[in-house]
Amino acid sequence: MKICKPISLFAIIMIIVYATSGCERDDICAEGTPTTPFLIIKFINNDTQIATDIKRPVELQIRAVGFDSIIDIGTVRDSIAIPLRTNTTSTEFEFTINSDTTNDATLANTDIVSFQYTPIEEYVSSACGFRVVYNAITASEGEAGTDGDWIRGISEQRTNVTDETAAHIFIFH
């Protein structure tokens, strides 16, 4: 009986070690891991059309066409970051300036901009899953509304949206 106890204890320990040796630590998506990037848009003064001549839009508000909620972009300095849809090849946004008409008599002015692209899924890791990058992005302005155009031109600077390090699109106004 004295031999059976150590052997059974050893067998139990070996079973536990064998059962847990195949386990991996919890796989956590590390901070700084690349995720689906936002589209970076920079606003440029149309008079000079120089990339460093920033012109901040007044009271800018952005809403995806077909959705009720307004995209929170915070205070616009020189550029904004907006999400593109991952399950389709285009996204349309309403860009509205002078959106807060309660303070003055200036009327809001809305232009629609359409972005076309090819979404590509990339595997990141088992913890992070997939991310989507956008290739061959193009931008086009829709028809002018009754309030006129405030956007004077659009230029693609980087046609592949794979990161958020620099502007992908310039909007001249």
Side-chain angles (χ1 to χ4, degrees):
M1 282 297 225
K2 288 185 177 186
I3 278 186
C4 262
K5 232 180 194 182
I7 290 175
S8 61
L9 183 61
F10 178 74
I12 291 173
I13 291 173
M14 289 305 291
I15 290 171
I16 291 172
V17 167
Y18 178 75
T20 60
S21 66
C23 296
E24 295 180 20
R25 65 173 179 81
D26 287 343
D27 215 2
I28 299 172
C29 190
E31 192 173 319
T33 303
T35 57
T36 298
F38 285 90
L39 177 69
I40 307 297
I41 300 173
K42 194 172 188 178
F43 295 94
I44 308 296
N45 186 341
N46 187 56
D47 296 334
T48 62
Q49 295 197 3
I50 299 172
T52 57
D53 190 6
I54 306 306
K55 184 177 178 185
R56 187 175 68 87
V58 178
E59 297 170 354
L60 179 65
Q61 204 174 67
I62 299 175
R63 185 177 64 83
V65 173
F67 293 90
D68 292 333
S69 59
I70 295 170
I71 297 173
D72 181 21
I73 54 171
T75 304
V76 178
R77 289 176 177 77
D78 69 342
S79 61
I80 60 169
I82 58 174
L84 296 173
R85 296 179 62 192
T86 59
N87 60 347
T88 186
T89 59
S90 68
T91 305
E92 286 187 324
F93 290 98
E94 291 179 352
F95 287 76
T96 304
I97 59 169
N98 302 320
S99 59
D100 184 10
T101 58
T102 59
N103 295 335
D104 56 38
T106 307
L107 296 176
N109 189 335
T110 301
D111 286 357
I112 295 177
V113 178
S114 177
F115 300 97
Q116 297 80 31
Y117 47 84
T118 304
I120 307 288
E121 281 190 351
E122 290 182 347
Y123 180 74
V124 177
S125 69
S126 61
C128 302
F130 289 85
R131 78 181 194 137
V132 175
V133 295
Y134 309 96
N135 290 344
I137 192 160
T138 60
S140 57
E141 190 177 355
E143 291 184 31
T146 57
D147 54 6
D149 283 335
W150 69 271
I151 296 176
R152 301 291 179 223
I154 300 173
S155 172
E156 295 90 4
Q157 298 301 303
R158 296 173 55 205
T159 57
N160 293 332
V161 181
T162 57
D163 58 41
E164 299 172 354
T165 58
H168 304 104
I169 303 289
F170 284 176
I171 291 182
F172 300 96
H173 67 108

